[in-house]
Amino acid sequence: MSLLVVGTVAFDAIETPFGKTDKIIGGAATYIGLSASQFQHNINLVSVVGDDFPTSAIEMLNQHRVNTEGLQIKKDEKTFFWSGRYHNDMNTRDTMDTQLNVLETFDPIVPATYQNCECLMLGNLMPSIQQKVLNQLQNRPKLIVLDTMNFWMDHYMEDLLQALKNVDVLTINDEEARQLSGEYSLVKAARKILSFGPKYLIIKKGEHGALLFNDKEVFFAPALPLEDVFDPTGAGDTFAGGFVGHLCSTKDYSFENMKRAVIIGSAMASFCVEKFGTERMNGLGKEEVNQRIAEFVDLVQFDIELV
Ligand code: AMP
């Protein structure tokens, strides 16, 4: 049983207080695939790049068991480009440039071999494209997770609200939750967003962890306190990849297992931020991953005797 991942495969230019990069490999689906591959060994990608995208990067994805049959390569067109700048507070960033390029005319095609997937991860992308992928599936996956961002809320809110009616889990950050709901309190925001369609909502709060909501319960996962965060780019997608990768491999979609998945997502994100771009995620070992998850268990475990 497979995990179907949809999202951007991109060139990123990033500036943080620790340095600057020019056109490195990025994209939501890239980070999701690399992260999910630690848990799920059958990952199918649907995305698009231009013929300026290096073959070596596609091979790198294949080496991480990400099948790229559904990755369209557009001749004489340019890959999606995003550029962002972080300041000392790495929780907020300025988008300097977003060039949609190949995304502008992207018509996703789900290959026949990708049908009957167990889980679907609709990574950050134009909401109408996320919906088009959903429409092509002959059977509804057991779990549909959607990630999005303020850019799509600013320009395509109606399409996003439409897509949200069909998903099980929505992952967004705190600012986006406020924008989507019009509520400042995250508890009120969660209640409102859950009324739009998703059964579960994850609100990511960067170095302050993540909250998981359903209509009755709430769970909090911290972020690992790190001495230095070099580059937060892709942390949200890496989180989502770990989350959905764990659920898809265990096939247990209960709230209890989602709590574990949130911890696993947080552990994966803590690796991503340790180096620029995908550098840390590329070739990450399973032992390191297990050790990091154990650190999270220690971080939140305590005994208490109520008097
Ligand atoms: P994250 O830091 O997890 O929000 O994700 C960063 C990644 O998202 C980068 O690698 C970008 O290429 C990609 N990205 C940036 N803007 C967009 C957008 N509007 N739609 C889809 N992906 C984007």
Side-chain angles (χ1 to χ4, degrees), residues 8 10 12 26-28 31 80 82 86 93 98 124-125 149 151-152 232-237:
T8 45
D12 291 344
Y31 285 103
F80 172 76
W82 174 79
Y86 299 84
R93 71 177 169 210
T98 301
N124 194 5
L125 197 67
M149 72 185 290
F151 183 83
W152 305 117
T233 307
D237 306 311

Side-chain angles (χ1 to χ4, degrees), residues 238-265:
T238 303
F239 173 95
F243 174 80
V244 75
H246 170 74
L247 291 173
C248 198
S249 69
T250 54
K251 297 187 174 64
D252 171 356
Y253 306 107
S254 63
F255 192 75
E256 278 311 301
N257 202 35
M258 280 197 192
K259 291 184 188 176
R260 286 180 213 112
V262 168
I263 294 286
I264 287 169

